[in-house]
Amino acid sequence: GLGNVFPFRVAIGQSTELVSFAEGSSDHTGVSHIDPEGDVSVLQCDYDALAKTLSAIIGKRKTLIKIDVEGYEYDVIRS
């Protein structure tokens, strides 16, 4: 099984808040993005808050993190 997999949906931004997220269609999920009209709530947090949260969750385990920024490249690099 995948007992060691922990999907953690989070957006990195300048503030910590819930944001609306629009998911892409099942045949093209690459168009998912933050959108005020989106139907999914996602936690957005700044880099420091995310780093503390991930550190508490991951501990010393080996980790793979997939990052998909969808138009927020500047915010991620700046963080």
Side-chain angles (χ1 to χ4, degrees):
L2 297 176
N4 61 341
V5 174
F6 179 73
F8 186 65
R9 296 177 93 176
V10 64
I12 298 175
Q14 295 179 355
S15 60
T16 299
E17 61 185 309
L18 284 178
V19 295
S20 296
F21 191 81
E23 295 186 306
S25 64
S26 61
D27 63 337
H28 188 28
T29 58
V31 296
S32 302
H33 59 282
I34 293 176
D35 183 338
E37 303 296 319
D39 56 350
V40 177
S41 291
V42 175
L43 174 65
Q44 171 182 285
C45 58
D46 65 27
Y47 172 80
D48 291 330
L50 178 60
K52 288 177 187 176
T53 302
L54 289 177
S55 180
I57 292 170
I58 295 168
K60 296 196 182 280
R61 294 179 288 186
K62 293 180 181 176
T63 306
L64 170 69
I65 297 176
K66 179 199 177 290
I67 299 173
D68 186 359
V69 296
E70 297 297 335
Y72 281 79
E73 292 83 357
Y74 178 76
D75 289 325
V76 171
I77 292 170
R78 203 172 102 210
S79 295

